């Protein structure tokens, strides 16, 4: 009896040991699979957030180049023009603390800038710097200054107005690098002078040079440096503006530059030792290497599911639980894909569409069943299909990731044939040995519309509403090429209001601005053809381009313009000619533009204008070249 009891106890012990072993194995296997799923989900969100952050950096690069185009478009950008242009940009792009214009001011020209600031309504303007104890004082004497001269918005940034960027070594180092490389360069971590509290800030400098051509070497860039357009950012505001709508609540991002053990080297938040999931990457932020550390919790739905499995010793229960887990994962992914605002398309290595989420259906106008099984070229204009196919074939053969892991702008085509701009990011994964590609697509029609509006704004004179110098440069080159192709004459009229400085001295700058608006409107009424161009050349100078007009006719048009201005009867008591405003005009016509440069025509018109002034003003002089 005792022997039987002992055998029974041994068998029971073995059953218990096997049950415990199975319980431990099932618990560990389930826990590892669950953590793997959480890691995959975490990496997916990191990739999506990282793409969004890199995309915003490119938008900020474009913003600075748009702002710089304003200074290339005109000889003189006044404070109101800068405010109008910059405020439109800030309104459409969150996370920007301020946009600034920082001119290069040589010591001998400082008084001129100070007088300009006083005329603009800032009688207390002075170039300042900050002492070691945080107080603002008048900048020390130096050969040249780089003061913040224009700033938008002014409210909340008043302390930065007049601050000399060259007085701070960190800022000056980035300015020198940007100047010599002729590209946008960011500072290391700085404290913004306009902030009372300690916030990690960065400045991005983009150099502006005299003339329209980029100097080829650093020596030429130092000589021709005009100043910098500047983006001011709190790192926290910039990052949170991008990530707030998309990052998961259980995820954190820390950014540092330098030593991660030094809290002073962190630009955004700090590392958390409690977070179990982590992904690191290096982001090139306008010449500065930012270390990005994404952290997340190794937890999620059904945290105690492995404990439940551990209690189920039967193999059938273990397999059933695994099946439930896999089905639950697929349901989560399906729910995420079906509810995201971005279009998501999956396709195989033969470009055959495998899935098409509701956002893609709404974007392209197709139902999923209409596109699944068909080639992705269905969603592109014909000219993009071959380009896409070549890129995919090159990647499959060589591994060249030109189309993988980057955001690309192309044109999409809706079911009704309408074409529209899209932004697409492509990622690859393998499923059961097959290579699958996922495209995340966003309709960027509104963004492109804004960019076009900003481009149009950069070609418009902020005061008169007519085209500006940048628009003139674009149009004269276009008409020059057309005249060369068609072998037609091309005429140019340069106009200068007579004694306008005396007008400003007599009536003030406000009335002077109103006068320029009236003159622009009068000049516009004298040009009747849609192909004629009228623009503000700078200050009180205007310019007209007359395609296909010969010299005699161009002189006749110039005389009509002059008489139109006289008929406006704008009072000018201090004129040396008469009681009303008059204008002098120089007309130049070129017959053969082949192998000749545009400057020949512009210089000829300028010379004719000078001759008109020498002859007593209020007249037109024409030359044929």
């Amino acid at each position: 009896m005792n022997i039987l009891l002992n055998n029974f106890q041994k068998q029971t012990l073995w059953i218990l040991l096997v049950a415990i072993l199975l319980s431990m194995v099932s618990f560990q296997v389930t826990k590892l699979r669950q953590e793997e799923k959480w890691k995959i989900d975490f990496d997916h969100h990191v990739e999506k957030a990282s793409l969004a952050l890199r995309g915003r950096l490119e938008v900020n690069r474009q913003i600075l180049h748009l702002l710089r185009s304003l200074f290339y478009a005109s000889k003189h950008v006044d404070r109101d023009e800068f405010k109008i242009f910059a405020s439109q940009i800030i309104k459409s792009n969150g996370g920007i603390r301020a946009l600034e214009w920082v001119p290069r001011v040589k010591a001998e020209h400082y008084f001129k800038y100070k007088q300009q600031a006083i005329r603009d309504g800032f009688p207390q303007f002075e170039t300042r710097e900050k002492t070691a104890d945080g107080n603002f004082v008048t900048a020390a004497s130096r050969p040249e200054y780089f003061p913040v001269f224009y700033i938008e918005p002014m409210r909340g940034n008043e302390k930065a107005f007049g601050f000399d960027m060259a007085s701070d070594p960190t800022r000056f180092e980035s300015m020198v690098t940007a100047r010599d490389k002729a590209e946008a360069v960011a500072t290391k971590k700085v404290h913004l002078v306009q902030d009372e509290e300690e916030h990690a800030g960065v400045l991005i400098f983009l150099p502006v040079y005299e003339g329209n051509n980029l100097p080829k070497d650093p020596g030429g860039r130092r000589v021709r440096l005009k100043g910098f357009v500047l983006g001011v950012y709190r790192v926290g505001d910039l990052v949170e503006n991008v990530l707030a709508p998309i990052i998961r609540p259980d995820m954190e991002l820390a950014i540092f530059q330098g030593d991660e053990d030094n809290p002073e080297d962190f630009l955004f938040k700090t590392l958390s030792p409690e977070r179990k999931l982590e992904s690191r990457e290096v982001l090139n932020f306008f010449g500065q290497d930012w270390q990005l550390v994404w952290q997340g919790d190794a937890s999620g739905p059904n945290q105690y599911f492995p404990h439940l499995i551990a209690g189920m010793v039967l193999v059938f229960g273990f397999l059933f639980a695994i099946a439930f887990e896999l089905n639950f994962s697929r349901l989560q992914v399906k729910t995420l894909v079906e509810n995201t605002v971005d279009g998501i398309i999956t396709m195989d290595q033969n470009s055959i569409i495998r899935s098409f989420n509701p956002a893609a259906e709404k974007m392209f106008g197709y139902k999923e069943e209409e596109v699944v099984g068909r080639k992705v070229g269905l969603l592109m204009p014909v000219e993009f299909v071959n380009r896409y196919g070549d890129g995919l074939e090159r990647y499959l053969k060589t591994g060249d990731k030109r189309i993988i892991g980057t955001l690309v702008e192309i044109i999409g085509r809706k079911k009704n044939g309408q074409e529209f701009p899209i932004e697409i990011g492509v990622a690859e994964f393998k499923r059961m040995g097959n290579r699958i590609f996922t495209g995340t697509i966003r309709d960027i029609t509104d963004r492109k519309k804004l960019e076009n509006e900003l481009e149009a704004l950069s070609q418009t004179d902020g005061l008169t509403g007519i085209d500006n110098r940048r628009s003139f440069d674009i149009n004269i080159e276009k008409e020059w090429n057309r005249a060369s192709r068609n072998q037609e004459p091309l005429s140019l009229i340069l106009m200068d209001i007579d004694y306008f400085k005396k007008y400003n001295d007599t009536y003030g700058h406000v009335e002077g601005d109103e006068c320029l608006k009236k003159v622009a409107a009068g000049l516009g009424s004298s040009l009747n053809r849609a192909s004629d161009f009228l623009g503000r050349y700078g200050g009180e100078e205007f310019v007209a381009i007359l395609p296909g007009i010969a010299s005699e006719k161009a002189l006749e048009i110039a005389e009509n313009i002059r008489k139109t201005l006289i008929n406006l009867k704008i009072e000018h008591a201090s004129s040396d000619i008469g009681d009303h405003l008059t204008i002098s005009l120089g007309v130049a016509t070129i017959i053969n533009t082949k192998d000749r440069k545009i400057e020949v025509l512009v210089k000829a018109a300028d010379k004719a204008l000078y001759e008109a002034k020498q002859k007593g003003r209020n007249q037109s002089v024409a030359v044929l070249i």
Side-chain angles (χ1 to χ4, degrees), residues 242-274:
V242 177
L243 299 184
I246 58 176
I247 197 169
R248 293 190 328 192
D250 61 331
M251 288 177 61
E252 290 282 356
L253 169 64
I255 304 176
F256 67 91
Q257 188 178 21
D259 184 2
E260 69 178 87
D261 294 325
N262 183 5
E264 292 300 317
D265 286 347
F266 277 81
L267 298 162
F268 181 72
K269 298 193 175 178
T270 54
L271 297 177
S272 173
E274 290 78 26

Side-chain angles (χ1 to χ4, degrees), residues 466-467 495 520 523-525 527 532-536 542-545:
I466 63 175
D467 289 282
M495 298 161 269
L523 297 179
S525 67
L527 301 176
D532 293 339
F533 171 89
L534 174 68
R536 186 179 177 193
F542 295 85
V543 63
I545 305 172

